Amino acid sequence: MEQQKFPDFMALYHAWEQLANGPKAELRRVARPEELLEVPTFYRLFSGKAHSEWEKQAYQRLIFCLPHIRHTNDGVGLGKALTRGKNVSEKRLFQVVRSDSPNDMIQLRRIVQMVEPSVNWTLAAKTLWYWNDRSKRDLLEDYFLNQPK
């Protein structure tokens, strides 16, 4: 079986870090993933790396959430990082899981904005890259399995 080849998620994160404050603010102001298509900074970050419409949408999800996520080298996934955030109720996560696109991503971004989690960006990016019902369930399971005792 062939190993799945992912984009270089850390290169995307480092490109984000190198942006000036103005372009970063442009990305923070976007309210919906499809609005990124009207922001020049989006194209600077993903710069034609997508080879299909599906990949372009995956980059939109990554760049939509990226302004509110900090990278750590620890093996902390997004669900575990959200357990460390105050005011992240299971109701809010179930809203994400039960919503369809693009509302699921909008709800997730709101949670991420509130918490500004420190996660292993590569792990979080894989979740966002494959954003579907399975990855939503994995996020929810990661959240519940890592609840403080």
Side-chain angles (χ1 to χ4, degrees):
M1 191 159 143
E2 188 177 321
Q3 180 70 21
Q4 174 64 40
K5 182 152 174 61
F6 292 105
D8 187 350
F9 296 129
M10 286 310 298
L12 177 64
Y13 186 83
H14 293 307
W16 156 257
E17 285 183 310
Q18 300 304 312
L19 291 174
N21 289 336
K24 285 182 178 182
E26 280 183 332
L27 295 177
R28 281 191 207 98
R29 284 191 295 264
V30 170
R32 303 173 63 79
E34 54 272 8
E35 289 177 20
L36 286 168
L37 300 176
E38 300 168 6
V39 177
T41 306
F42 169 72
Y43 295 100
R44 283 188 208 112
L45 286 176
F46 113 99
S47 64
K49 295 175 186 149
H51 303 294
S52 68
E53 186 63 28
W54 182 88
E55 285 184 351
K56 185 166 92 176
Q57 290 173 354
Y59 274 105
Q60 280 178 267
R61 290 189 298 269
L62 291 170
I63 295 171
F64 187 62
C65 292
L66 183 58
H68 306 287
I69 293 177
R70 290 184 309 269
H71 172 68
T72 179
N73 286 323
D74 299 339
V76 178
L78 192 53
K80 184 175 183 175
L82 293 179
T83 63
R84 298 174 180 174
K86 297 176 181 163
N87 303 322
V88 177
S89 69
E90 58 188 57
K91 280 174 114 175
R92 293 194 76 161
L93 277 178
F94 274 105
Q95 267 185 316
V96 171
V97 172
R98 292 179 180 148
S99 295
D100 293 322
S101 180
N103 291 331
D104 55 354
M105 195 50 44
I106 293 167
Q107 293 293 328
L108 178 64
R109 186 178 190 222
R110 287 179 184 157
I111 293 170
V112 170
Q113 277 178 298
M114 184 176 60
V115 175
E116 294 205 350
S118 290
V119 301
N120 183 300
W121 171 245
T122 302
L123 294 176
K126 284 179 185 176
T127 299
L128 296 171
W129 184 257
Y130 284 120
W131 192 248
N132 57 28
D133 290 341
R134 175 60 195 236
S135 56
K136 290 179 192 181
R137 274 194 315 272
D138 289 346
L139 174 70
L140 196 60
E141 288 173 9
D142 193 27
Y143 174 81
F144 279 106
L145 290 174
N146 289 290
Q147 288 290 316
K149 305 246 186 284

